[in-house]
Amino acid sequence: MSHPPARSAAAGPEAPTGTAASTGAPAPAPAGGAGAPGGSADPGPLAVRLGAFLRGSFPLPLSLVFAGVWAVGATGLFAAADARVGHWRPGWGTVGAVLTVLVDLLLLRAADDLRDLPYDRRHNPSRPLARGAVLPRDLYLLSGAGAAFLLLLNSGNRAALLLIAAQLVYTVLLVGAELRLGWPRGDAVVTGVLLSSPVQVLLNLYLYAVFLHDTGLDGDSLARAGRHALPLLVVIMLAATHHELARKVVREPGAHERTYVRVFGLRTTVALALGFAAASAAASLAVLRPWTGGPAGWGWLAVLPVALAALAARRFSRTGAARWPVGAVVGYLPAVFVCHLLIGLAGTS
């Protein structure tokens, strides 16, 4: 899920697909350029090196906003869709969820930078890891410390703990497969995003487990909880798929550009992007049933992000722009989550 755009939203041919990108994790567009990586001989102490990584790969203020919107907005959707919830407001459990999402996205960004290091040294030499401003061992240390923090933070909720642990283990296996086996290939964009999608599924299931715990509904059987969660996951994953497609819509791909346009063609990619945005809104409406009136009527807000996607498609087509409008890439997923936050607050007031 990107905001600001995840690596490839606006920036030239350097556009790897990875776990962080597939979740929309914020990262600045690289300032591409030719030349050697040119790492610094002395990148400084650990704190300085990690600071360079944050500034160059994970802008903290924007990442915090996105993590907050995601965690609170998804929880608002869960609350609005569950008739057992009479009154819902974000609480301390939601604060913990926001912090978990933020740290998790940071670890996913570190994983992606490690996976993409050979590619970045050639095509994105200005990125912190590629230029030597931060070292691979620093990111491994950060990942270990961050994983321990997440497990400790969620130790009071068994279901949430198991889900976040499963996501961390899956990410390690995914990164290990690419680093050790070279699979999947970096240019296999469809395979890459399919393999990365469980990362987001598990993170959204984690948020659902936190919601159930905070509302006292975690006594449900696994089957009953799954029936409640499945359509809500569909809403979020369809929206995320729109984002993943739209951020890589480019009219004329560069020589090394990794884009779905190479796989599906330009018109089909644009049509698929719009279709997934519309399908996400339709799934939300099917769950929330706003036509029944009353507080459920706020569910019509779920249609607004589709308008953003449609306007972006119209602008892209009519202006002959090289890429999907950056503002729409940046704004779509936050719009989805903010709308569902408002639906949840209004529907359970």
Side-chain angles (χ1 to χ4, degrees):
M1 281 143 193
S2 163
H3 325 101
R7 276 163 90 109
S8 62
E14 293 72 54
T17 297
T19 50
S22 68
T23 59
S40 170
D42 181 13
L46 177 62
V48 172
R49 300 196 301 267
L50 291 179
F53 170 70
L54 290 176
R55 289 190 301 273
S57 286
F58 194 76
L60 200 53
L62 293 169
S63 300
L64 178 58
V65 170
F66 178 60
V69 169
W70 181 355
V72 180
T75 309
L77 170 62
F78 303 152
D82 199 320
R84 299 170 296 175
V85 179
H87 180 78
W88 171 80
R89 291 294 181 271
W92 287 111
T94 314
V95 174
V98 171
L99 186 55
T100 295
V101 172
L102 177 66
V103 175
D104 192 78
L105 291 179
L106 172 62
L107 302 188
L108 292 176
R109 177 54 60 195
D112 270 4
D113 278 15
L114 288 167
R115 291 171 65 186
D116 296 332
L117 180 56
Y119 184 90
D120 284 342
R121 280 176 171 162
R122 181 176 180 182
H123 301 293
N124 295 323
S126 64
R127 292 188 64 80
L129 188 60
R131 73 173 189 267
V134 66
L135 306 176
R137 68 170 182 265
D138 301 333
L139 298 188
Y140 286 119
L141 178 63
L142 175 67
S143 298
F149 173 77
L150 291 181
L151 297 176
L152 181 62
L153 179 63
N154 292 282
S155 58
N157 183 341
R158 183 181 177 185
L161 177 64
L162 290 174
L163 286 164
I164 203 68
Q167 193 232 41
L168 292 171
V169 170
Y170 182 83
T171 302
V172 169
L173 294 175
L174 196 61
V175 173
E178 184 159 345
L179 292 179
R180 297 290 184 181
L181 306 176
W183 182 86
R185 299 190 326 270
D187 58 351
V189 289
V190 175
T191 302
V193 77
L194 289 175
L195 288 173
S196 296
S197 60
V199 172
Q200 186 177 157
V201 170
L202 288 167
L203 191 52
N204 284 305
L205 283 174
Y206 159 81
L207 292 174
Y208 189 68
V210 172
F211 161 74
L212 292 179
H213 183 76
D214 288 352
T215 54
L217 299 174
D218 50 353
D220 275 354
S221 67
L222 186 61
R224 181 179 173 86
R227 286 195 300 271
H228 277 282
L230 181 59
L232 308 178
L233 284 176
V234 168
V235 173
I236 297 172
M237 294 303 294
L238 288 172
T241 304
H242 163 81
H243 166 82
E244 173 64 19
L245 290 167
R247 74 186 188 90
K248 292 185 177 181
V249 169
V250 54
R251 197 171 296 279
E252 296 180 4
H256 302 286
E257 191 151 12
R258 298 169 179 179
T259 168
Y260 301 101
V261 172
R262 292 194 186 279
V263 180
F264 303 119
L266 180 60
R267 289 185 179 180
T268 302
T269 304
V270 170
L272 285 172
L274 282 176
F276 277 107
S280 175
S284 181
L285 295 178
V287 170
L288 299 173
R289 300 174 61 85
W291 51 83
T292 61
W298 286 89
W300 290 113
L301 286 175
V303 177
L304 291 181
V306 182
L308 177 64
L311 288 172
R314 182 174 181 269
R315 179 180 174 187
F316 175 77
S317 299
R318 290 200 171 188
T319 63
R323 298 180 177 277
W324 197 267
V326 175
V329 174
V330 170
Y332 172 77
L333 276 175
V336 169
F337 287 125
V338 168
C339 285
H340 285 101
L341 171 60
L342 295 175
I343 293 168
L345 290 173
T348 60
S349 58

